[in-house]
């Protein structure tokens, strides 16, 4: 029996030492240490609950062998009970960390928070920018807390969109009046839901002109403007019920803002999403398969850029024009241009395979033929 | 932590996303890889517009097609694939029919013979896929016997319009025609069209002749003959086939001559007292000027196209290497630094490259390098390749290839400067030491 206790004592001592040294090793990274130690200690507590029944033999066994085992052993036992006071004196810096581990669920967030907070200043900027493209309306609404007020009222918006658009115009007009008295109504009748709802509409209208630059969905409702354009001609809005008017007014204000944004951005860039890398590569490969390069000629020293327009079938419309040429004389440039033109015309066949929904993106193309790599072959 | 990393990742990706989304103006594509393959063309038989011109019309079209196909840059679409036929030189081209057979270029022509027996050949070149003519129609006239030259000129024009560079089909090659076994080889000068046609002999086989070199105008030939027992330089008039010794100093050996770009001077080597140096001689006045004085072997001089510099070979460094010096002599600059021995340098008509023979590890190569020695490229490799000469457009190199063994013989080969289209030049019997003429007038 003594031998058994002896062996078990040594085993425990080894485990305790391993845990302690493991904790010491983790001291390099304070954040990481806290989490794993907490996990290990709980498991070991369950495993060590039985051996705790024999603390007396430990005292007996601990003496003969190594004093380190004695120091480590009580430290381990102290952890489940009150670890801080017992283990703190022997092992200065390492012990307190282990002591903190039982409180780990609270401690780690405290240590992690400052670190994350240090990184957070970067974080809020990043999401702010990211969200700017997607979620800018949300951050604007958040500070004034109109969302909770509006939310209960907008519970039942599923109605035909045409009605909503018509109501929009009317809702915005009355909204301007309360907008002038925002401060009075907000301050005096803050608890009243109706007044708050009315106030929120002008707020969103005011926010609307700001929204266009951030919203990314100008295309989502291109047809609405036409509908709304018709709506003012036919003033059927007054017949609509009041509640949906307010709800629709909010939605319409946003829709107007989105539409205005779409109208503002439309002329600046080609509509629709840009071609994906794969789609661009497919076009490039289609042309390069027909681009015959005479590597021994002076034309192989010339880089030419040609411009062309495609119809919706992907076929060249009109002439292919030389935009620029560099690296050779006129004859070489003319030859290089002819080779580039042949490449495009040969490989278009029935039309380049391009996504029809992105036609605006590939209607006009500038292709640069650079034979530099070919000269090495 | 993961959130932080993810946020940083989003931050890094944001500019890329914005760039991708910000496609202002047209879609821009850069193409850096193409294909290296012959350009398909169609050359239907030329239309015979007069009685008796049918054979000539057909033959001219065949020579034109052979010239273009022989470059390795073009591939003829066989007539059996034609959908439409050219029955009239003036009728419009049905581009769709030629597109369907993937003919990227179309050559049409017509031939007629006048009452005076002169031949008139007119032709047009079309870019089929562009649906337009390349350049405008052109007409050549000449004797009926000279129909091949007319065909070569047509081919040169077509080549030039498609590639943007000058052709080389209407040119000739002078070379050493060889007969007999290696131990009793008989040599004489011969001249032929670049494609081996119209072969003529300029000398008999009574004495050994070496290294003929065309004059810049193609009407004279310099060569070295052993008819006196020692190598001597002779100047031969191609038209009259008359010759005279150009350099005859007792006790010396003169060899490796080459014209200056203006045709007035000749640079060559003189061996005297065991030392070989390069000299320059004015043909009319006979004035001589020694250009090198090194106690080593300097030979194989070749002028740059502008006549300002001379490239030559020398073993002054201990091994045979290439050097460049001013045309009137002076300090030479070594340009070859690779392994092996370099010799027989020839300056390209374009002026951008120097062709040479290289011997390394028991193999011979024809190679080219920039005039500063950079970008050395070996175009061939065999038991024995030597003596490169440039086509008039600087695009093709012809040289001598000799096979191994007692039964081995020398032949003329040509290779594109890109290293492609290596092929044997058709000559009757064996041939060596080719020299390519300029384009004929």
């Amino acid at each position: 029996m003594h031998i058994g206790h002896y062996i078990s004592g040594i085993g425990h001592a080894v485990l305790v030492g391993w845990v302690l040294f493991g904790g010491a090793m983790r001291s390099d990274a304070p954040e990481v240490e806290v989490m794993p130690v907490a996990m290990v200690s709980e498991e070991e507590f369950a495993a060590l609950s039985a051996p705790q029944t024999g603390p007396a033999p430990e005292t007996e066994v601990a003496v003969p062998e190594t004093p380190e085992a004695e120091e480590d052993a009580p430290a381990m036992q102290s952890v489940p009970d009150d670890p801080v006071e017992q283990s703190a004196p022997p092992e200065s810096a390492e012990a307190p960390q282990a002591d903190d581990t039982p409180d780990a669920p609270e401690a780690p967030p405290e240590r992690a928070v400052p670190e994350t907070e240090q990184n957070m200043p970067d974080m809020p900027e990043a999401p702010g920018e990211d969200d700017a493209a997607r979620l800018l309306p949300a951050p604007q609404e958040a500070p004034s807390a109109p969302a909770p007020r509006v939310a209960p009222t907008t519970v039942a918006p599923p109605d035909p969109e045409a009605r909503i658009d018509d109501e929009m115009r009317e809702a915005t007009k009355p909204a301007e009046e309360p907008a002038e008295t925002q401060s009075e109504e907000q301050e005096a009748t803050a608890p009243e839901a109706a007044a708050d709802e009315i106030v929120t509409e002008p707020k969103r209208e005011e926010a609307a002109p700001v929204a266009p630059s951030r919203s990314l969905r100008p295309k989502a409702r291109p047809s609405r403007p036409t509908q709304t354009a018709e709506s003012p001609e036919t003033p059927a809005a007054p017949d609509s019920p009041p509640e949906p008017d307010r709800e629709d007014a909010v939605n319409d204000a946003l829709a107007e803002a989105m539409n205005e944004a779409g109208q503002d951005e439309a002329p600046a860039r080609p509509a629709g999403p840009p071609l994906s890398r794969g789609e661009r590569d497919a076009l490039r490969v289609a042309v390069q398969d027909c681009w015959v390069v005479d590597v021994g000629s002076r034309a192989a020293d010339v880089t030419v850029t040609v411009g062309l327009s495609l119809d919706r079938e992907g076929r060249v419309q009109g002439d292919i024009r030389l935009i620029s040429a560099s690296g050779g004389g006129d004859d070489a440039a003319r030859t290089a241009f002819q080779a580039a033109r042949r490449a495009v015309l040969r490989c278009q066949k029935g039309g380049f395979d391009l996504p029809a929904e992105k036609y605006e993106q590939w209607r006009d193309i500038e292709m640069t033929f650079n034979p530099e790599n070919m000269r090495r072959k | 932590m993961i959130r932080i990393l993810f946020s940083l990742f989003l931050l890094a990706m944001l500019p890329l996303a914005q760039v991708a989304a910000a496609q202002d103006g047209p879609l821009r594509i850069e193409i850096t890889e193409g294909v290296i393959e012959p350009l398909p063309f169609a050359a239907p038989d030329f239309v015979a517009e007069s009685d008796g011109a049918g054979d000539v019309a057909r033959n001219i079209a065949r020579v034109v097609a052979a010239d273009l196909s022989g470059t390795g840059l073009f591939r003829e679409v066989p007539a059996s694939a034609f959908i439409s036929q050219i029955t009239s030189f003036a009728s419009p081209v049905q581009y769709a029919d030629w597109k369907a057979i993937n003919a990227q270029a179309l050559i049409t022509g017509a031939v007629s013979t006048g009452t005076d027996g002169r031949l008139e050949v007119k032709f047009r070149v079309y870019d089929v896929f562009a649906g337009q003519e390349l350049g405008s129609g052109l007409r050549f006239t000449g004797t009926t016997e000279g129909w091949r030259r007319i065909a070569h000129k047509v081919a040169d024009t077509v080549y030039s319009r498609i590639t943007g560079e000058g052709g080389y089909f209407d040119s000739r090659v002078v070379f050493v025609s060889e007969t007999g076994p290696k131990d009793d080889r008989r040599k004489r000068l011969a001249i032929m069209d670049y494609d081996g046609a119209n072969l003529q002999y300029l000398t008999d086989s009574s004495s050994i002749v070496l290294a003929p070199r065309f004059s810049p105008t193609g009407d004279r030939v310099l060569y070295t003959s052993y008819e006196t027992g020692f190598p001597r330089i002779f100047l031969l008039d191609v038209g009259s086939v008359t010759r005279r010794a150009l350099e005859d100093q007792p006790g010396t050996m003169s060899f490796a001559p080459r014209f200056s770009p203006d045709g007035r001077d000749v640079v060559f080597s003189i061996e005297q007292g065991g030392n070989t140096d390069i000299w320059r001689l004015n043909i009319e006045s006979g004035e001589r000027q020694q250009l090198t004085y090194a106690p080593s072997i300097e030979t194989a001089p070749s002028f740059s196209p502008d006549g300002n510099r001379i490239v030559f070979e020398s073993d002054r460094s201990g091994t045979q290497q290439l050097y460049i010096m001013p045309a009137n002599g002076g300090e030479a600059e070594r340009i070859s630094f690779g392994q092996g021995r370099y010799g027989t340098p020839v300056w390209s008509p374009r002026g951008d490259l120097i062709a040479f023979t290289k011997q390394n590890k028991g193999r011979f190569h024809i190679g080219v390098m920039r005039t500063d020695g950079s970008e050395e490229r070996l175009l061939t490799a065999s038991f024995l390749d030597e003596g490169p000469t440039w086509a008039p457009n600087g695009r093709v190199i012809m040289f001598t290839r000799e096979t191994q063994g007692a039964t081995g013989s020398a032949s003329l080969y040509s290779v594109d400067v890109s290293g492609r289209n290596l092929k044997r030049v058709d000559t009757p019997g064996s041939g060596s030491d080719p020299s390519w003429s300029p384009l004929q007038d």
Side-chain angles (χ1 to χ4, degrees), chain B residues 186-237:
Chain B
R186 307 180 72 83
K187 299 184 177 182
R188 53 180 174 168
L189 290 186
I191 190 170
M192 63 181 186
D193 292 350
Y194 98 98
D195 57 358
N198 295 326
L199 178 73
Q200 290 180 293
Y201 293 101
L202 301 177
T203 64
D204 57 27
S205 56
S206 59
S207 59
I208 295 176
V209 291
L210 296 174
R213 300 289 181 256
F214 260 117
S215 68
T217 52
D219 57 347
R220 295 171 295 169
V221 171
L222 288 168
Y223 68 98
T224 304
S225 173
Y226 277 78
E227 65 185 51
T228 62
F230 291 93
R232 289 286 183 269
I233 296 174
F234 286 82
L235 177 63
L236 184 145
D237 183 85

Side-chain angles (χ1 to χ4, degrees), chain B residues 290-354:
Chain B
Q290 186 172 354
L291 302 181
T292 64
Y293 297 89
S296 50
I297 296 175
E298 277 76 38
T299 187
S302 174
F303 276 97
S304 61
D306 59 6
N308 293 327
R309 292 181 292 174
I310 294 174
V311 60
F312 63 99
E313 66 176 65
S314 171
D315 61 356
R316 63 180 65 180
S317 66
T319 59
Q320 191 173 315
Q321 300 293 336
L322 303 184
Y323 295 80
I324 289 179
M325 67 176 174
N328 290 320
E331 185 175 356
E333 178 184 2
R334 179 176 169 178
I335 61 170
S336 63
F337 294 93
Q339 294 183 345
R341 294 189 294 174
Y342 296 79
T344 66
V346 190
W347 216 301
S348 162
R350 292 179 178 176
D352 56 345
L353 296 174
I354 291 174

Side-chain angles (χ1 to χ4, degrees), chain B residues 256-302:
Chain B
R258 201 178 290 271
F259 281 98
S260 63
D262 60 7
R264 297 176 179 174
D265 294 341
V266 175
V267 287
F268 60 100
S269 294
I270 292 181
E271 190 276 338
Q272 189 172 16
N275 184 33
T276 301
D277 280 309
I278 295 174
W279 291 69
R280 180 171 183 164
L281 170 70
N282 183 275
I283 296 176
E284 289 188 1
S285 66
E287 182 182 353
R288 302 199 319 172
Q289 176 187 6
Q290 186 172 354
L291 302 181
T292 64
Y293 297 89
S296 50
I297 296 175
E298 277 76 38
T299 187
S302 174

Side-chain angles (χ1 to χ4, degrees), chain A residues 296-319:
Chain A
S297 70
R298 292 183 174 179
D301 296 331
V302 180
T303 297
V304 296
T305 299
V306 301
L308 55 106
S309 297
L310 301 179
D311 61 15
R312 291 187 176 275
E313 301 300 324
R315 291 173 300 203
V316 175
Q317 278 185 320
D319 294 332

Side-chain angles (χ1 to χ4, degrees), chain B residues 21 57 112 121 124 154 219 285 299 319 389:
Chain B
S112 61
V121 179
R124 295 183 186 276
V154 171
D219 57 347
S285 66
T299 187
T319 59
T389 180

Side-chain angles (χ1 to χ4, degrees), chain A residues 236-329:
Chain A
D239 296 338
S240 59
E243 292 182 355
D245 290 347
R246 296 170 183 175
E247 297 168 359
D248 296 340
V250 174
N251 294 330
D252 292 341
L254 293 174
E256 277 188 357
M258 301 294 279
N259 291 333
E260 290 176 359
Q263 292 174 354
D264 292 341
E265 293 180 356
R269 296 175 180 174
L275 290 181
S276 67
R277 177 176 292 274
E279 291 163 345
R280 294 165 65 96
D281 287 346
L283 175 61
R284 180 175 51 77
V285 170
V287 176
Q288 77 180 18
D289 286 347
C290 291
W291 183 35
V292 178
V293 181
D294 179 5
V295 294
S297 70
R298 292 183 174 179
D301 296 331
V302 180
T303 297
V304 296
T305 299
V306 301
L308 55 106
S309 297
L310 301 179
D311 61 15
R312 291 187 176 275
E313 301 300 324
R315 291 173 300 203
V316 175
Q317 278 185 320
D319 294 332
I320 298 176
R321 59 197 182 279
L322 175 63
I323 295 177
S324 65
S326 61

Side-chain angles (χ1 to χ4, degrees), chain A residues 38-55:
Chain A
M39 294 299 293
V40 171
S41 62
E42 290 177 358
E43 293 176 355
E44 290 182 351
F45 293 162
L48 293 174
S49 58
Q52 285 178 357
T53 55

